[in-house]
Amino acid sequence: SQTDDERALSDSSTEASAVPSHPLWPDIERITLEQLTFAQQGVGEGWEIFEQDGEMKLYKREKEVNGLVQDTLKAVHVVKGVTGFEMANCFFQPEYRFGWETTLEEMKIIEKVSDDAILFHQIHKRVWPASQRDAVFWSHIRQIPDSENPDGEPIWVVCNKSLAKDHPAAPDKKGKYTRAFLTAVIVCQTIITKHPNDEDELSRAEVTCKISYCSHVDPGGWVPAAATRAVYKREYPKFLRKFTSYVIDECQDKPVRT
Ligand code: H13
């Protein structure tokens, strides 16, 4: 039977609804801010670096629950020539996704919660050793003032989080797909190297983007621990390289947007 949340979701229209009254909103709000705090923490004890390529560094924190991998990943990167807004916007907006998401087979917008929050159903290619995965998740983008430098460049954050329960618009096709559960956050901030007295327009040579990406995957179903780790060791660096080069290409001939 349907829960209150599911009923409210299936009853709401596909038009953008008033944000504060949406049943998902309290979760979206709370989890996005929690994930932002988590992404901003340093990589101290418990974190182990597993890949480095120039400014790109990937760390993992291993955890197993009943033999299943529940590792957390944290990646940091510095990308020249793009802004925090451009990075976050390309990660959030559905029209860019197939340009960088190499593991995607199908993407469907289930509901537009608001202009800055969307509910998605995605079917992923078989990168996993076992069956194909699908996922239902909300995605939320927002701008947050930098508390350490309130007059400086704001922080852009996008948080993606799987729904804990089944959704009527995307029922779990057990047997066909295994439902995976993910939490992912990307935090982006522009660094401007332009001289404050210089009145020329901001050029691409004067912007750099600092990124922090964290992700927690519960692959769903049973996958041997070594296989899960082998997949993400390969897939996370691939995603970061592809995503950053996509954003650079996409923005190259366009005016700088902060
Ligand atoms: O963050 C990434 N992609 C997002 C846009 O497609 C979606 C993602 C998400 C998916 C599903 C639910 C909630 C959020 O944020 C990039 C993801 C890169 C994934 C690397 C592969 C990890 C493989 C784990 C191994 C499991 C066996």
Side-chain angles (χ1 to χ4, degrees):
S1 72
Q2 280 193 325
T3 63
D4 286 344
D5 273 5
E6 287 165 347
R7 209 168 300 117
L9 274 172
S10 57
D11 288 345
S12 58
S13 77
T14 51
E15 301 292 327
S17 47
V19 161
S21 68
H22 194 283
L24 277 176
W25 195 254
D27 268 9
I28 294 178
E29 176 88 12
R30 178 179 52 83
I31 293 164
T32 300
L33 297 177
E34 272 171 21
Q35 289 298 313
L36 168 66
T37 304
F38 181 61
Q40 288 178 317
Q41 285 164 5
V43 275
E45 211 184 319
W47 291 97
E48 190 189 325
I49 192 158
F50 70 91
E51 172 106 7
Q52 172 159 24
D53 180 0
E55 295 279 8
M56 185 180 91
K57 297 187 187 93
L58 288 95
Y59 304 81
K60 65 174 173 175
R61 203 167 66 184
E62 293 192 351
K63 185 181 166 194
E64 276 173 45
V65 179
N66 303 325
L68 283 171
V69 169
Q70 301 252 327
D71 296 3
T72 304
L73 164 120
K74 183 176 280 209
V76 292
H77 203 354
V78 179
V79 184
K80 289 197 179 109
V82 294
T83 68
F85 168 76
E86 289 165 337
M87 275 279 168
N89 191 54
C90 282
F91 189 76
F92 174 74
Q93 298 296 347
E95 65 261 38
Y96 301 114
R97 194 152 307 157
F98 278 96
W100 59 266
E101 178 60 279
T102 54
T103 69
L104 207 53
E105 193 162 288
E106 272 178 49
M107 178 195 74
K108 194 175 84 187
I109 295 174
I110 296 180
E111 187 186 356
K112 269 201 131 180
V113 174
S114 60
D115 287 343
D116 58 10
I118 302 175
L119 192 58
F120 290 99
H121 179 225
Q122 290 191 169
I123 299 169
H124 287 266
K125 289 182 189 158
R126 190 186 302 264
V127 294
W128 286 278
S131 63
Q132 222 179 338
R133 258 65 182 167
D134 76 343
V136 176
F137 64 98
W138 53 256
S139 182
H140 173 48
I141 185 167
R142 71 158 63 181
Q143 190 189 18
I144 289 167
D146 182 354
S147 55
E148 280 167 24
N149 183 14
D151 299 325
E153 289 303 305
I155 290 161
W156 281 94
V157 52
V158 182
C159 183
N160 293 348
K161 168 91 185 171
S162 287
L163 293 192
K165 289 173 280 192
D166 211 359
H167 189 282
D172 191 348
K173 287 192 183 150
K174 292 187 180 68
K176 186 144 200 241
Y177 308 114
T178 301
R179 188 137 298 178
F181 296 89
L182 268 96
T183 306
V185 67
I186 192 162
V187 176
C188 311
Q189 190 172 26
T190 313
I191 303 164
I192 298 180
T193 53
K194 186 186 183 68
H195 194 275
N197 293 339
D198 182 352
E199 280 171 13
D200 290 344
E201 255 181 59
L202 196 57
S203 79
R204 296 233 163 253
E206 297 161 327
V207 294
T208 296
C209 182
K210 244 177 27 180
I211 303 176
S212 171
Y213 175 88
C214 293
S215 167
H216 176 264
V217 179
D218 170 354
W222 190 80
V223 188
T228 303
R229 293 194 171 116
V231 171
Y232 82 63
K233 249 190 113 169
R234 181 188 72 215
E235 294 298 325
Y236 281 127
K238 197 166 136 195
F239 147 65
L240 277 171
R241 287 194 186 94
K242 175 85 193 190
F243 175 64
T244 52
S245 65
Y246 173 81
V247 179
I248 292 168
D249 286 355
E250 180 60 34
C251 298
Q252 210 161 36
D253 302 318
K254 296 181 183 151
V256 179
R257 290 172 75 191
T258 55

